[in-house]
C-alpha cells in the first residue's frame, strides 16, 4: 500500500492508495478515528455499487445520505439535506463524515463536514479517476450557484483519503477518460514518467502507479500553496481555455475532461506561437490514444471573451500555464492584448 501524507495548516491528511482498499476500509478507519457514529454521503449511482460494501465493515452506528448523481445537485439545498440527515442521526462534533463518490460528492460532503457544527472529521473515499487524482486531495470543498461553479466553499482538509483504484472498473469509459485528462495534465506540468506510462498500449494495468504519481504532485503543490494564492495555479494547465470552451458549450456539449484536453492542446499551440518549442504533436497523439478530443470547436473571438470573464484574469494580464518541456511548466502572465492576437491564430 502507498501511504502519503499532506501537512496543512490544520493538521495532517493521510492518503492511502491500494487496489482492494475499500474492502479493508473499516479496519483502516478504526485505526485513525474514534467516533461514536459515522455518516456516509454518496450518490444514487455509487450507492448500489459500493455503499453496502462499506457499511457492512463498520461496527459503529452508521447513517447515510444518498444524493441524486450529477453536477446539477452540487447545490446548497443538497448540503441542507445532509445537515438534516446528520442531525436526525444524532451526529456530534466528535463523529465522522465519509464522502463515498466522485468529485461532486467529495466537494459537497467536504463543505457539509467543514460547516456542520463548525467542523466534523472527514474521510474521502473517491470513486472516479478525477476524484482519486485530483478533487479528494487538497481540501477544496464547495457548491455551485446559479451564477457559476464552485462560488461557495471552504478549504477543509480530510483527515484521511482512501483511494481504491479497483472501484474504477465500474466507471463508464467517458468518465474514466475525463480523469485521464487530469492525469495527462500532471505529466506535462511535473513528471514526464506519467506520460511514458500513459503512452503504453496497456496503461490501465499500471493505473495504481499512475494515480500515486499524480497524487504526489497534487500533495506537493498543495503543501506549498494550500490556499491557492500562487503555485497551485500550475494545476490549471489546460483549464484556462478549457473553462472558456466549457462555458461556450453551455456545460453540456463538452465534459470537463474533454474541455481540459482541448484546453491543453490549445495552450500548447499558443506556447509555440509565442516562440517556445512546439510540443503539440506528441500531446495530440496521447489525447487520441486515451480517447479525448483536441480540436477547439468554437469561434476564437468568443473563446477570448469567455476567457477574459474567467476568474484567472488579473488586471491587464491573464495567467497562463505554459509547458516548457514535458514535466516542467511555468505560470506565465500574458498581456491581454497579446493573448487576443495569439488566440485568433489558434
Ligand atoms: N475539490 C477540488 O479540488 C476539485 C478538483 C477538480 C474537480 N472538482 C469537482 O469535481 C466534480 C467532478 O467530479 P467527477 O468528474 O468525479 O464527477 P461526478 O462526481 O459527477 O461523477 C461522475 C459520474 O460518475 C458516477 N460514478 C462515480 N463513481 C463511480 C464508479 N466507481 N462507478 C460508476 N459510476 C461512478 C457518478 O455517480 C457520476 O454520475 C466537479 O463538481 C468539479 O468542480 C473539485
Amino acid at each position: 500500500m502507498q501511504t502519503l501524507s499532506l501537512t496543512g495548516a490544520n493538521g495532517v491528511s493521510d492518503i492511502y492508495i491500494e487496489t482492494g482498499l475499500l474492502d479493508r476500509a473499516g479496519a483502516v478507519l478504526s485505526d485513525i478515528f474514534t467516533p461514536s457514529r459515522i455518516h456516509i454521503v454518496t450518490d444514487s449511482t455509487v450507492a448500489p455499487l459500493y455503499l453496502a460494501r462499506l457499511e457492512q465493515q463498520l461496527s459503529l452506528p452508521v447513517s447515510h445520505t444518498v444524493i441524486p448523481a450529477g453536477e446539477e445537485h452540487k447545490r446548497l439545498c443538497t448540503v441542507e439535506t445532509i445537515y438534516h440527515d446528520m442531525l436526525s442521526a444524532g451526529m456530534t462534533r466528535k463523529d465522522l463524515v465519509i464522502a463515498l463518490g466522485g468529485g461532486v460528492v467529495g466537494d459537497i460532503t467536504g463543505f457539509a463536514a467543514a460547516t456542520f457544527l463548525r467542523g466534523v472529521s472527514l474521510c474521502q473515499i473517491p470513486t472516479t479517476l478525477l476524484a482519486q487524482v485530483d478533487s479528494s486531495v487538497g481540501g477544496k470543498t464547495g457548491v455551485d450557484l446559479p451564477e457559476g461553479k464552485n462560488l461557495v466553499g471552504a478549504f477543509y482538509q480530510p483527515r484521511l483519503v482512501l483511494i481504491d483504484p479497483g472501484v474504477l472498473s465500474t466507471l463508464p469509459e467517458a468518465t474514466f477518460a475525463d480523469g485521464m485528462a487530469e492525469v495527462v495534465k500532471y505529466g506535462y506540468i511535473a513528471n514526464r514518467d506519467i506520460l511514458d506510462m500513459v503512452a503504453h498500449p496497456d496503461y490501465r494495468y499500471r493505473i495504481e502507479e499512475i494515480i500515486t504519481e499524480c497524487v504526489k504532485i497534487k500533495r506537493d503543490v498543495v503543501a506549498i500553496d494550500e490556499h491557492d494564492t500562487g503555485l497551485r495555479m500550475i494545476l490549471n494547465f489546460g483549464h484556462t481555455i478549457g473553462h472558456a470552451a466549457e462555458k461556450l458549450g453551455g456545460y453540456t456539449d463538452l465534459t470537463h475532461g474533454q474541455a481540459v484536453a482541448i484546453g491543453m492542446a490549445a495552450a500548447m499551440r499558443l506556447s509555440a506561437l509565442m516562440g517556445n518549442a512546439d510540443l503539440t504533436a506528441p500531446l495530440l497523439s496521447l489525447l487520441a490514444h486515451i480517447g479525448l478530443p483536441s480540436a477547439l470547436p468554437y469561434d476564437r473571438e468568443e473563446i477570448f471573451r469567455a476567457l477574459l470573464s474567467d476568474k484567472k484574469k488579473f488586471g491587464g494580464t491573464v495567467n497562463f500555464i505554459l509547458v516548457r518541456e514535458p514535466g516542467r511548466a511555468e505560470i506565465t502572465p500574458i498581456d491581454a492584448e497579446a493573448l487576443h492576437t495569439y488566440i485568433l491564430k489558434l
Side-chain angles (χ1 to χ4, degrees), residues 204-265:
R204 285 199 190 198
Y205 288 106
R206 296 181 76 179
I207 198 70
E208 184 171 327
E209 204 181 331
I210 291 171
I211 291 169
T212 304
E213 291 310 313
C214 294
V215 170
K216 280 183 190 164
I217 297 167
K218 178 97 190 239
R219 186 265 321 258
D220 291 347
V221 170
V222 173
I224 293 169
D225 181 22
E226 186 175 2
H227 294 122
D228 202 2
T229 56
L231 180 69
R232 202 160 167 168
M233 208 185 290
I234 204 101
L235 300 170
N236 284 332
F237 171 53
H239 287 62
T240 310
I241 291 179
H243 282 155
E246 237 181 331
K247 194 186 279 182
L248 291 181
Y251 297 95
T252 52
D253 293 1
L254 297 170
T255 64
H256 179 69
Q258 288 168 342
V260 169
I262 288 167
M264 288 191 288

Side-chain angles (χ1 to χ4, degrees), residues 1 122 187 238 334:
M1 180 164 69
L122 171 67
I334 304 180

Side-chain angles (χ1 to χ4, degrees), residues 28-149:
V28 177
L29 289 164
S30 59
D31 280 349
I32 293 186
F33 300 100
T34 51
S36 303
R37 46 182 323 123
I38 297 175
H39 190 78
I40 302 169
V41 180
T42 187
D43 75 21
S44 51
T45 305
V46 177
L49 296 168
Y50 302 113
L51 181 59
R53 255 168 81 179
L54 177 61
E55 282 186 332
Q56 70 197 15
Q57 300 169 54
L58 306 171
S59 45
L60 299 168
V62 185
S63 48
H64 61 243
T65 303
V66 179
I67 65 175
E71 179 78 30
E72 63 275 27
H73 300 287
K74 194 170 134 180
R75 294 162 53 186
L76 281 169
C77 58
T78 310
V79 178
E80 202 174 341
T81 304
I82 297 170
Y83 295 147
H84 290 309
D85 288 353
M86 291 200 285
L87 282 173
S88 60
M91 291 278 286
T92 70
R93 286 191 68 190
K94 293 185 179 143
D95 294 329
L96 170 66
V97 178
I98 298 178
L100 174 70
V104 167
V105 166
D107 280 11
I108 292 186
T109 311
F111 186 63
T115 46
F116 181 71
L117 304 178
R118 300 195 177 83
V120 288
S121 296
L122 171 67
C123 168
Q124 292 274 3
I125 307 185
T127 63
T128 62
L129 181 56
L130 179 138
Q132 295 194 344
V133 298
D134 192 352
S135 59
S136 64
V137 175
K140 278 192 185 176
T141 74
V143 294
D144 303 334
L145 293 179
E147 289 86 346
K149 283 184 68 174

Side-chain angles (χ1 to χ4, degrees), residues 177-178 181 254-255 257-265 283-284 287-288 290-297:
D178 271 348
L254 297 170
T255 64
Q258 288 168 342
V260 169
I262 288 167
M264 288 191 288
L283 169 63
L284 298 196
L287 294 175
I290 295 165
L292 284 168
S294 51
L296 190 55

